[in-house]
Amino acid sequence: MHTPPRDLVYAIYYTVLAVIAVPVNVVAIVILSRGKCGLSRCISRYLVSMAATDLLVIITAVILNRIPAIYFPGSSLSITPVCSFSITLIYVARDSSVWLTVMFTFDRYVAICWQKLKAKYCTHRTAGIVVSVVCTLGFVINIPCFFLYEPMYVIDNVPWYCKRRDIISSSLLWIIFDWTDRAMTPCLPFLFILSLNALTVRYILAASRARRRLRSCPTGEKQSDPEMESRRKSIVLLFAISGCFILLWMPYVVNFLVMQLQVGYKINGYSDPRFILMESGNVFQLLSCCTNTFIYVVTQKKFRNELKLLMKFPLNISHSIAPSRK
């Protein structure tokens, strides 16, 4: 995460993103926590955790990092220790969000492709353990990030802003950490999600053909298949979430690959194509933190119903209060 350009387009974008992303993630947490969307407790726990970490990404990366850097340059948030701590929190929230998406994808892969393991693994308790482990590791692994940065300026003995330490490019230990961090997010998640989805699709196609043959009716009439219908809804949700994740993180991954091919390249201003590619990666990556709620609205009828009830709640309260005042 670098300091964003103080440009009108970015100022408007990050402000709108914060205004939209915070309430939609809060709404998702509230609705999914109620457990009335027709989803299993296991799935609900993953989705609530993903919404919570997405909300943390928006708070740390947008509200506490990018918006202040654009509107309030030189604020107390730019003091080096505060800046380093803020960047560390961004990485913790980002990694937790990404790997929870991976673990949700793995959970659905097990549920669809490994029926014998499903009963033991795809449970509310296991989901809670997985979420706790992912978030704990996300915090522990990123502790060294706090020590990656040094001040750009020191004014009246006060260190300002953050830049990566020069030793990072020459120390083998820091080089290994840097490459491991970049591989863990987002390269490995990309590979895992693509692989798991490919295996899931292959299994679904094979299972669907087999079930059609077993359930074929001699009269040629179509028979309903409740199991396949339930599986179809789960698959739609899975592919919508993972597909959106891959699509919005793709510019970030492309930028990472280009950086490896152009080592030592120095960006020359905000109009430099490399800067545009880098900032596009950050823009779309942060956008991915508010898309899941819209996916639930499109794909889950019961979620839409719960959303309608939630939106009507303030009106119902006002109507109930109005007669009492009379």
Side-chain angles (χ1 to χ4, degrees):
M1 293 289 177
H2 62 282
T3 302
R6 290 184 282 275
D7 183 85
L8 181 61
V9 173
Y10 294 105
I12 294 174
Y13 172 78
Y14 288 119
T15 303
V16 172
L17 179 62
V19 169
I20 294 175
V22 170
V24 299
N25 280 301
V26 171
V27 166
I29 293 171
V30 171
I31 293 177
L32 293 169
S33 298
R34 288 166 54 84
K36 296 183 179 181
C37 296
L39 301 171
S40 68
R41 294 176 67 199
C42 173
I43 295 177
S44 296
R45 171 157 281 190
Y46 278 112
L47 298 185
V48 168
S49 302
M50 289 160 61
T53 51
D54 284 345
L55 178 61
L56 288 177
V57 172
I58 295 298
I59 292 173
T60 56
V62 179
I63 297 177
L64 296 180
N65 181 273
R66 294 185 164 263
I67 289 179
I70 294 172
Y71 289 102
F72 312 108
S75 68
S76 58
L77 291 173
S78 300
I79 298 175
T80 303
V82 178
C83 174
S84 298
F85 183 68
S86 173
I87 294 174
T88 303
L89 290 180
I90 293 171
Y91 284 127
V92 170
R94 182 203 64 177
D95 289 0
S96 299
S97 174
V98 169
W99 280 98
L100 284 175
T101 303
V102 174
M103 298 313 298
F104 170 73
T105 305
F106 179 75
D107 178 88
R108 292 300 85 201
Y109 164 72
V110 172
I112 294 170
C113 303
W114 296 88
Q115 295 299 310
K116 293 182 179 179
L117 183 60
K118 175 183 176 181
K120 294 182 179 180
Y121 182 80
C122 301
T123 64
H124 184 255
R125 181 175 179 274
T126 302
I129 294 173
V130 170
V131 169
S132 299
V133 170
V134 168
C135 294
T136 301
L137 289 177
F139 174 77
V140 173
I141 290 173
N142 284 290
I143 289 177
C145 291
F146 181 79
F147 305 99
L148 282 176
Y149 300 94
E150 62 184 2
M152 294 181 65
Y153 313 103
V154 177
I155 302 175
D156 296 331
N157 294 323
V158 178
W160 289 93
Y161 300 104
C162 292
K163 70 171 184 177
R164 286 207 159 198
R165 296 180 182 274
D166 296 333
I167 193 175
I168 293 175
S169 59
S170 57
S171 170
L172 179 61
L173 183 63
W174 282 114
I175 291 174
I176 293 174
F177 171 80
D178 191 44
W179 270 90
T180 302
D181 175 69
R182 294 176 185 274
M184 292 293 291
T185 305
C187 296
L188 283 180
F190 248 63
L191 293 177
F192 282 140
I193 290 176
L194 288 173
S195 300
L196 291 170
N197 282 345
L199 292 172
T200 303
V201 168
R202 189 179 69 174
Y203 176 86
I204 291 169
L205 294 176
S208 298
R209 287 194 296 266
R211 290 185 67 85
R212 279 198 298 267
R213 286 196 298 267
L214 291 172
R215 297 177 62 87
S216 60
C217 182
T219 60
E221 296 179 0
K222 292 185 177 179
Q223 295 181 336
S224 61
D225 190 341
E227 182 178 339
M228 289 303 294
E229 181 63 22
S230 175
R231 186 179 294 176
R232 185 189 68 81
K233 292 179 180 179
S234 179
I235 292 166
V236 168
L237 180 62
L238 167 64
F239 286 178
I241 291 176
S242 57
C244 187
F245 170 84
I246 290 173
L247 182 65
L248 293 177
W249 273 83
M250 185 63 72
Y252 189 94
V253 174
V254 171
N255 176 62
F256 167 72
L257 296 175
V258 171
M259 285 175 60
Q260 310 315 308
L261 298 175
Q262 297 182 341
V263 178
Y265 182 90
K266 292 186 178 181
I267 294 176
N268 185 23
Y270 297 153
S271 60
D272 191 304
R274 278 286 289 108
F275 176 83
I276 295 174
L277 176 61
M278 179 175 63
E279 191 60 28
S280 297
N282 290 318
V283 163
F284 285 107
Q285 176 239 313
L286 292 171
L287 179 62
S288 69
C289 293
C290 70
T291 54
N292 283 353
T293 303
F294 297 104
I295 291 174
Y296 307 150
V297 171
V298 173
T299 62
Q300 304 294 310
K301 182 178 179 180
K302 291 186 178 181
F303 186 92
R304 291 196 296 272
N305 294 336
E306 287 295 311
L307 179 60
K308 291 176 183 177
L309 291 175
L310 186 63
M311 294 176 67
K312 291 178 181 178
F313 184 71
L315 296 176
N316 294 335
I317 292 180
S318 62
H319 289 159
S320 62
I321 294 176
S324 62
R325 290 181 176 177
K326 294 181 180 179

